[in-house]
C-alpha cells in the first residue's frame, strides 16, 4: 500500500513568487493536515482538510492557503513568498481526525527554499 | 492553547544502553492522545508509540515504553537496548481531537554512540 506522497521533494523560489505543494494521502484517508517545520521553530500546524473542506487553520497569514480535491489529495499554496517561509512542509493523512482512535501518517515533506 | 515542552535538545547514549527522553505538556482537556514520533535524516515522521489519556496503563512497543503521569502532565519515552538505527530527532506530540492537529514539542536529537 502506498504511503503519503508529497511533491516536489525540493522547491526553490524567489521572494515574492508563489509556491504550490502537493500531497496524496493514503487510500481511504479523508483527513489531510499540513505542517510547517522551520529551523528552530519545530513543527507548527498549518491547515486541516477533511472531506473536501477546510476545517481549521493554524496561526498563519492568509497567503498560506490550500484545498482538498474530490480524491482527497491536497494542495498547499503559499503566495508572496518571504524568506522566512523557507522550511520543510509536511503533510499527514488519517482515516479520521487525528487523535481519537486513529493514526496520522506523514509524507517525506517538501523542502521549500526562498531566495 | 495546549503546549508541549521537551527540555532536552540533545541526548547521547551508548549502544545497548537505556535512555529516557522527557516531555511535559499543558492542557485543560481530560481526554486526549499523546504520541512520540521519530524523524530520521530521511525526514519522514514515524510514529513510535501512542498513549490514550484515559488509559492508566503505560503503552509499550517492543523496546519503547512510556511513563505517563497524567496528574503531573508528563510523558517520557524510554528506549531500551539502544540501537544505531534509533538515532534521530524525537518529537513528543499532543492531540485533543483533530481540529488543531498535533501540537509538537521542539524535539530531542538522540545520538547513539557505538
Amino acid at each position: 500500500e502506498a504511503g503519503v506522497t508529497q511533491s516536489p521533494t525540493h522547491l526553490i523560489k524567489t521572494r515574492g513568487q508563489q509556491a504550490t505543494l502537493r500531497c496524496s494521502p493514503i487510500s481511504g484517508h479523508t483527513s489531510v493536515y499540513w505542517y510547517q517545520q522551520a529551523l528552530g521553530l519545530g513543527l507548527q500546524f498549518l491547515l486541516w482538510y477533511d472531506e473536501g473542506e477546510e476545517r481549521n487553520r493554524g496561526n498563519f497569514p492568509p497567503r498560506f492557503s490550500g484545498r482538498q480535491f474530490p480524491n482527497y489529495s491536497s494542495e498547499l499554496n503559499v503566495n508572496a513568498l518571504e524568506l522566512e517561509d523557507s522550511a520543510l512542509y509536511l503533510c499527514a493523512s488519517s482515516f479520521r481526525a487525528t487523535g481519537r482512535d486513529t493514526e496520522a501518517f506523514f509524507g517525506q515533506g517538501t523542502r521549500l527554499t526562498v531566495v | 492553547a495546549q503546549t508541549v515542552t521537551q527540555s532536552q535538545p540533545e541526548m547521547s547514549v551508548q549502544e545497548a544502553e537505556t535512555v529516557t527522553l522527557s516531555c511535559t505538556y499543558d492542557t485543560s482537556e481530560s481526554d486526549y492522545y499523546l504520541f512520540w514520533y521519530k524523524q530520521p535524516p530521511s525526514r519522514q515522521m514515524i510514529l513510535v508509540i501512542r498513549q490514550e489519556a484515559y488509559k492508566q496503563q503505560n503503552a509499550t512497543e517492543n523496546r519503547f515504553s512510556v511513563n505517563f503521569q497524567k496528574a503531573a502532565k508528563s510523558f517520557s519515552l524510554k528506549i531500551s537496548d539502544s540501537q544505531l538505527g534509533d538515532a534521530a530527532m524525537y518529537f513528543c506530540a499532543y492531540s485533543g481531537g483533530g481540529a488543531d492537529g498535533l501540537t509538537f514539542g521542539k524535539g530531542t536529537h538522540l545520538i547513539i554512540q557505538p
Side-chain angles (χ1 to χ4, degrees), chain B residues 51-67:
Chain B
Q51 174 80 42
E52 294 88 340
Y54 65 87
K55 289 187 177 179
Q56 294 187 341
Q57 186 174 6
N58 289 325
T60 299
E61 288 287 343
N62 300 313
R63 298 183 294 107
F64 299 87
S65 62
V66 298
N67 183 3

Side-chain angles (χ1 to χ4, degrees), chain A residues 6 21 35-36 46 64 76 85 87-91 109-110 112:
Chain A
Q6 291 186 245
L21 288 64
Y35 295 88
Q36 182 195 66
L46 251 172
F64 286 85
L76 173 68
D85 296 334
L88 179 68
Y89 289 83
L90 290 167
C91 169
T110 293
L112 173 63

Side-chain angles (χ1 to χ4, degrees), chain B residues 3-66:
Chain B
T3 58
V4 177
T5 303
Q6 293 179 249
S7 58
Q8 306 151 315
E10 187 172 280
M11 292 282 286
S12 182
V13 64
Q14 292 289 129
E15 193 176 2
E17 296 290 306
T18 295
V19 63
T20 298
L21 309 184
S22 301
C23 172
T24 58
Y25 60 95
D26 188 27
T27 182
S28 58
E29 302 290 331
S30 59
D31 188 16
Y32 50 87
Y33 282 69
L34 296 164
F35 306 84
W36 278 99
Y37 278 90
K38 168 184 176 181
Q39 188 179 38
S42 67
R43 309 182 319 198
Q44 185 157 17
M45 300 284 281
I46 301 165
L47 179 66
V48 174
I49 198 165
R50 59 187 287 164
Q51 174 80 42
E52 294 88 340
Y54 65 87
K55 289 187 177 179
Q56 294 187 341
Q57 186 174 6
N58 289 325
T60 299
E61 288 287 343
N62 300 313
R63 298 183 294 107
F64 299 87
S65 62
V66 298

Side-chain angles (χ1 to χ4, degrees), chain A residues 53-68:
Chain A
E53 300 284 333
E54 180 181 306
R55 302 296 182 180
N56 200 17
R57 65 182 294 126
N59 188 26
F60 283 85
R63 57 191 186 81
F64 286 85
S65 65
R67 53 181 170 167
Q68 187 177 35

Side-chain angles (χ1 to χ4, degrees), chain A residues 18-95:
Chain A
Q18 178 195 48
T20 298
L21 288 64
R22 296 179 176 84
C23 172
S24 292
I26 290 173
S27 177
H29 286 189
T30 62
S31 266
V32 171
Y33 294 83
W34 287 95
Y35 295 88
Q36 182 195 66
Q37 187 175 18
L39 198 61
L41 294 179
L43 286 100
Q44 293 183 285
F45 167 67
L46 251 172
L47 287 159
W48 172 35
Y49 293 95
D50 186 58
E51 296 283 357
E53 300 284 333
E54 180 181 306
R55 302 296 182 180
N56 200 17
R57 65 182 294 126
N59 188 26
F60 283 85
R63 57 191 186 81
F64 286 85
S65 65
R67 53 181 170 167
Q68 187 177 35
F69 299 98
N71 66 354
Y72 303 115
S73 67
S74 178
E75 198 173 84
L76 173 68
N77 295 296
V78 188
N79 294 319
L81 284 165
E82 300 179 3
L83 296 178
E84 52 264 36
D85 296 334
S86 295
L88 179 68
Y89 289 83
L90 290 167
C91 169
S93 77
S94 66
F95 180 67

